[in-house]
Amino acid sequence: MPFESDHRIYYLGTSGWSHRDWVGKLYPLDMPFSDYLETYARHFPAVEIEHTFYDIPAPQAVRAWYRRSPDGFQFCPCLPRRITHELRLRDTDRDLTDFISAITGLQEKLGPILLQLPENFRVNEQPQLAAFLDTLPQDMQFAIEFRHGSWLKDSTYGLLNAHRLAWVVVDAPFLPRTPRVTADAAYVRWHGHPGIGQRTRHETDPAASLRPWVAVLRDLARQAERVYGFVRNSYSGYAPRDGTVLMELLGEAREKGH
């Protein structure tokens, strides 16, 4: 079930669930790999599927994900990089059809599908992006992450609004934090910053760095029906830790009436 605060719905989690660094933290040392997803889903209501960025999953794998997750759980698969990075959104009909066919096995547990654009995909390619968006199934949700500042303009937001595509709010070095709602769902990704060493994160207070995001999430929730958010700092179990802290902070804000 989603995390709820003040009657607003949040699907928070991490990017992926099978990181080996999480063994001994989120997962017991002797736990079989096949039990990871079921254990993960006891802590979080949603997950971003990184695997699909690299390869289209086999139908039997998708059915297993569905079977091993509880009712109300949400999967947000990444669109394959062949479509976004290799083909750069051109001549994608066959690959897109194959991908959609595979992930429909998630049924009602399918959340927004994430399009991650390359860093060198700039606003001068907006006509190609618009043509690609016209090919997307209308009965599915999509979110898009831009990685170049040239997209920070009203014409971009208008394009996403017209296609009901969620703008991805990022905590990352490649774009400033830009909270926008362009669809029924809002979408946030916490990438982390190179200035904060992955291997020294345990020395910092995660609540201190994440607390400013509570107001952002609540503001997004006032404008959207649902808010999805995923932490990507997978090293040494920090992603599940930070995801848990976010939900705790949202819960505290609810109790204080903020």
Side-chain angles (χ1 to χ4, degrees):
M1 294 294 292
F3 176 80
E4 293 192 30
S5 178
D6 291 342
H7 306 293
R8 298 183 175 96
I9 299 175
Y10 301 89
Y11 287 97
L12 302 179
T14 67
S15 293
W17 67 83
S18 58
H19 301 286
R20 298 295 184 180
D21 281 339
W22 298 1
V23 175
K25 298 177 176 65
L26 185 64
Y27 306 126
L29 295 174
D30 58 349
M31 175 172 284
F33 180 81
S34 58
D35 291 344
Y36 282 11
L37 177 56
E38 185 176 353
T39 301
Y40 172 95
R42 288 200 289 268
H43 296 270
F44 299 103
V47 70
E48 198 175 72
I49 310 178
E50 294 180 309
H51 167 76
T52 56
F53 180 70
Y54 302 99
D55 198 11
I56 294 176
Q60 59 267 32
V62 176
R63 289 193 294 269
W65 297 340
Y66 182 91
R67 188 174 63 252
R68 292 170 178 165
S69 57
D71 292 344
F73 192 80
Q74 292 274 279
F75 293 91
C76 295
C78 297
L79 200 71
R81 63 181 174 182
R82 172 165 171 76
I83 293 174
T84 55
H85 289 57
E86 296 176 22
L87 297 175
R88 296 180 71 86
L89 308 184
R90 296 179 183 275
D91 302 318
T92 63
D93 288 354
R94 179 175 179 179
D95 294 275
L96 182 62
T97 298
D98 290 346
F99 173 73
I100 295 299
S101 177
I103 54 105
T104 51
L106 293 172
Q107 303 180 56
E108 80 283 357
K109 297 180 183 180
L110 177 62
I113 298 166
L114 175 65
L115 287 76
Q116 303 171 84
L117 293 182
E119 292 183 8
N120 62 355
F121 196 94
R122 304 185 179 190
V123 74
N124 63 298
E125 296 185 74
Q126 183 167 317
Q128 182 53 39
L129 172 61
F132 174 76
L133 298 185
D134 285 337
T135 71
L136 295 178
Q138 296 297 305
D139 59 345
M140 291 183 169
Q141 308 169 77
F142 291 87
I144 186 165
E145 180 182 86
F146 297 97
R147 296 197 171 197
H148 192 271
S150 62
W151 293 97
L152 294 168
K153 54 194 308 183
D154 289 341
S155 62
T156 304
Y157 311 135
L159 177 65
L160 301 191
N161 272 308
H163 288 84
R164 296 181 299 157
L165 218 77
W167 165 273
V168 175
V169 184
V170 295
D171 176 36
F174 49 80
L175 274 186
R177 184 176 69 190
T178 309
R180 300 287 303 208
V181 174
T182 56
D184 294 339
Y187 203 108
V188 184
R189 301 185 88 205
W190 290 272
H191 289 266
H193 293 260
I196 303 177
Q198 288 272 22
R199 295 177 183 273
T200 61
R201 280 295 295 269
H202 67 282
E203 299 174 359
T204 68
D205 176 10
S209 61
L210 293 170
R211 187 170 284 109
W213 279 94
V214 172
V216 176
L217 291 171
R218 289 167 65 85
D219 186 56
L220 293 173
R222 281 189 284 269
Q223 302 174 63
E225 295 177 2
R226 304 168 306 283
V227 177
Y228 294 83
F230 301 101
V231 183
R232 299 195 68 243
N233 54 324
S234 59
Y235 174 76
S236 196
Y238 293 144
R241 179 202 66 180
D242 288 359
T244 299
V245 169
L246 276 167
M247 289 193 290
E248 291 172 350
L249 291 172
L250 282 167
E252 291 174 7
R254 174 187 57 199
E255 293 172 3
K256 294 176 182 178
H258 293 169

